[in-house]
């Protein structure tokens, strides 16, 4: 069953991929099948056709022979790869203690540059790994000495090139290593990585820049987040939070003044994740913004404004907004704040049982106490099956049955 679901998931992902990617995959499949047919035909022509007169049987034996040869070749290749990996691990396990010993002595003040340079010729990846481990565990003058050593050995140059031209996983690791170096050249490479195609690489580069702590780097990471996918913003929200007060005071207003609607929405989502209290005048300008997504994204910040009466007024305005996204945000906030005066407006929003606004209004009513529960009980008895099911779901989420409400 799991294999079937995995296969269906892969088929679904393939159908949703861009047309160029699907064409490339189909081309590779056709090439492999053509190669398999050609090999089977050659075996049939050169071997079995001389001994077996029935062509179908000869072709079947040819295909079976090709499959056996391919499986044997794959088995041998797998054994060779495992043997190579085992040899490499054994080789590294013998070299790493000596590499670590030389690095520790270099930190202590002895010059181990020549010894480590000689090891780089044979154990380059092991030296890089040990150096990264040491850089992550020391501070101050010890890190400065290791940073200079990394530059002299050419390790920092290798990390910079891998960060720009390696595979996605290699670029992500290189971004972490460059953050440990904290040099001007590594900072420049990390800034270039903010536009990387992979969200995981972009996130690693942002975190490295944030660890450096320079205000200009923090500002650039924040501006990059406004143009990044939602996944990147979620991953970096906690990392950016220690810098939130300065960003809200200096960078946030400029982003709100100059940003496009999508960037405004991203900035407001980040501020809501920080539970930030924006100046009321700024918040009002966002609540009356001409773009509906911006108005909807501004509603969650009302709960942190410290003005319940004003929040109630804006909730009523939001529930009457012509855009459904804004009405959804207003209904969600009414439920969070428990604004009981909004119950009639929420009940009126139950007109479309298939719409998302009905679901959100039912959830808000479930948070209103007995008065809201009574409306949900009546909705459970509605002849509309969809509305009744959603009302029952809302009551279940409130851990209350209609009988308990009575």
């Amino acid at each position: 069953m799991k294999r079937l679901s995995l296969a269906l998931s892969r088929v679904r992902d393939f159908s949703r991929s861009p047309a160029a990617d699907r064409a490339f995959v189909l081309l590779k499949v056709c090439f492999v099948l053509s190669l398999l047919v050609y090999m089977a035909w050659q075996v049939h022509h050169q071997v079995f056709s001389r001994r077996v007169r029935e062509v179908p049987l000869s072709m079947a034996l040819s295909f079976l022979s090709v499959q056996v040869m391919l499986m044997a070749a794959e088995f041998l290749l797998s054994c060779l790869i495992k043997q190579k990996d085992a040899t490499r691990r054994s080789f590294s396990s013998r070299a790493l203690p000596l590499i670590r010993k030389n690095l520790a002595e270099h930190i202590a003040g002895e010059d181990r540059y020549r010894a480590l340079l000689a090891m780089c010729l044979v154990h380059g990846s092991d030296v890089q790994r040990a150096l990264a481990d040491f850089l992550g565990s020391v501070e101050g003058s010890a890190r400065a000495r290791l940073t200079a050593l990394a530059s002299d050995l050419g390790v920092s140059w290798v990390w910079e090139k891998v960060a720009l031209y390696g595979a996605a996983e290699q670029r992500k690791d290189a971004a972490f290593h460059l953050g440990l170096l904290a040099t001007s050249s590594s900072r420049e490479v990390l800034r270039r990585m903010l536009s990387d195609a992979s969200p995981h690489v972009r996130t690693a580069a942002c975190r490295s820049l944030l660890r450096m702590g320079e205000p200009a780097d923090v500002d650039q990471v924040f501006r990059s987040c406004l143009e990044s996918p939602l996944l990147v913003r979620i991953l970096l929200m906690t990392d950016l939070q220690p810098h939130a007060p300065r960003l809200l005071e200096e960078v946030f207003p400029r982003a709100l003044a100059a940003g496009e609607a999508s960037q405004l929405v991203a900035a407001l989502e980040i501020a809501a994740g920080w539970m930030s209290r924006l100046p009321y005048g700024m918040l009002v300008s966002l609540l009356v913004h001409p773009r509906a997504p911006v108005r909807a994204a501004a509603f969650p910040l009302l709960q942190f404004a410290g003005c319940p009466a004003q929040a109630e007024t804006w909730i009523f305005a939001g529930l009457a907004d012509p855009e459904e996204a804004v009405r959804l945000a207003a209904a969600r906030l009414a439920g969070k704040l428990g604004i009981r005066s909004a119950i009639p407006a929420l009940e009126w929003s139950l007109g479309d049982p298939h719409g998302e606004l009905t679901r959100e209004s039912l959830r808000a009513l479930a948070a209103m106490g007995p008065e809201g529960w009574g409306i949900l009980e009546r909705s459970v008895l509605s002849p509309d099956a969809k509305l009744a099911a959603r009302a029952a779901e809302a009551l279940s989420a409130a851990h209350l049955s209609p009988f308990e409400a009575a």
Side-chain angles (χ1 to χ4, degrees):
M1 195 67 179
K2 291 183 178 179
R3 291 182 178 180
L4 178 60
S5 62
L6 180 60
L8 292 175
S9 175
R10 290 179 176 176
V11 170
R12 185 169 56 252
D13 293 342
F14 175 75
S15 64
R16 294 175 180 175
S17 61
D21 293 344
R22 293 200 302 270
F24 182 67
V25 171
L26 292 174
L27 185 62
K28 289 196 296 184
V29 170
C30 292
F31 174 77
V32 172
L33 291 177
S34 301
L35 183 61
L36 182 62
V37 170
Y38 175 76
M39 292 171 62
W41 174 257
Q42 288 296 322
V43 173
H44 160 73
H45 181 69
Q46 300 291 338
V47 181
F48 290 107
S49 63
R50 301 173 184 177
R51 296 173 175 82
V52 180
R53 293 183 178 182
E54 293 81 0
V55 175
L57 179 58
S58 176
M59 288 298 299
L61 291 173
S62 300
F63 271 104
L64 181 61
S65 301
V66 169
Q67 290 288 341
V68 170
M69 287 188 293
L70 290 176
M71 291 173 62
E74 185 177 357
F75 176 75
L76 290 175
L77 182 62
S78 176
C79 292
L80 290 175
I81 291 174
K82 288 183 178 180
Q83 181 63 35
K84 180 182 177 182
D85 289 342
T87 303
R88 181 181 55 81
R89 285 194 297 269
S90 175
F91 196 49
S92 297
S93 64
R94 293 195 298 269
L96 276 172
L98 183 58
I99 294 172
R100 295 191 182 107
K101 177 176 178 295
N102 280 280
L103 286 172
E105 292 175 351
H106 191 86
I107 292 174
E110 299 183 32
D111 186 4
R112 295 299 183 207
Y113 166 72
R114 293 184 179 277
L116 290 167
L117 180 61
M119 290 181 180
C120 280
L121 300 176
V122 183
H123 304 279
S125 59
D126 297 322
V127 172
Q128 292 180 43
R129 185 172 32 162
L131 187 56
D133 292 341
F134 271 73
L135 282 167
S137 59
V138 298
E139 295 290 344
S141 59
R143 176 175 288 190
R145 190 168 174 81
L146 285 179
T147 299
L149 177 64
S151 178
D152 294 338
L153 294 175
V155 172
S156 58
W157 181 86
V158 171
W159 286 344
E160 290 172 7
K161 297 308 175 187
V162 171
L164 295 176
Y165 307 112
E169 192 65 28
Q170 293 173 327
R171 297 199 306 273
K172 186 177 74 170
D173 293 339
F176 173 75
H177 296 155
L178 291 176
L180 297 175
L181 292 177
T183 60
S184 57
S185 60
S186 65
R187 182 179 284 110
E188 185 60 33
V189 172
L190 288 170
R191 287 174 178 171
R192 292 174 60 183
M193 296 178 72
L194 295 181
S195 58
D196 194 280
S198 169
H200 298 288
V201 175
R202 198 181 309 177
T203 301
C206 288
R207 283 177 171 161
S208 292
L209 285 171
L210 290 175
R211 278 195 300 269
M212 295 179 184
E214 295 293 331
D217 294 332
V218 175
D219 296 352
Q220 188 166 356
V221 169
F222 179 76
R223 289 193 296 269
S224 174
C225 282
L226 302 185
E227 302 173 357
S228 298
L230 178 61
L231 174 63
V232 176
R233 296 201 298 273
I234 292 174
L235 292 174
L236 291 174
M237 195 173 293
T238 304
D239 299 271
L240 280 167
Q241 191 160 9
H243 309 279
R246 191 186 64 82
L247 289 172
L248 289 172
E249 182 179 352
E250 299 178 10
V251 184
F252 199 80
R254 295 199 299 269
L256 295 182
E260 300 178 357
S262 60
Q263 295 183 13
L264 288 176
V265 171
L268 292 171
E269 289 173 348
I270 292 174
W274 292 340
M275 297 187 291
S276 302
R277 181 174 179 176
L278 296 183
Y280 187 69
M282 180 190 298
L283 191 53
V284 168
S285 68
L286 295 166
L287 289 167
V288 297
H289 195 275
R291 301 296 295 273
V294 177
R295 297 199 301 275
F299 263 91
L301 292 165
L302 278 169
Q303 60 188 308
F304 312 121
C307 303
Q310 292 171 334
E312 184 176 355
T313 301
W314 283 109
I315 286 174
F316 281 113
L319 290 173
D321 195 279
E323 297 290 339
E324 184 176 2
V326 182
R327 297 199 299 272
L328 277 169
R332 191 176 296 116
L333 183 61
K336 284 185 177 181
L337 298 181
I339 306 296
R340 287 180 170 78
S341 58
I343 289 178
L346 291 171
E347 185 178 10
W348 182 82
S349 300
L350 303 180
D352 180 11
H354 297 277
E356 186 62 29
L357 180 59
T358 294
R359 184 189 294 273
E360 201 58 57
S361 299
L362 289 169
R363 290 174 180 169
L365 288 169
M368 297 296 183
E371 191 175 352
W373 301 336
I375 297 174
L376 292 178
E377 292 172 23
R378 293 195 296 272
S379 300
V380 169
L381 302 176
S382 169
D384 190 310
K386 188 70 173 180
L387 178 60
R390 287 189 166 184
E393 179 187 355
L395 278 173
S396 176
H399 304 289
L400 182 70
S401 71
F403 300 102
E404 290 173 339

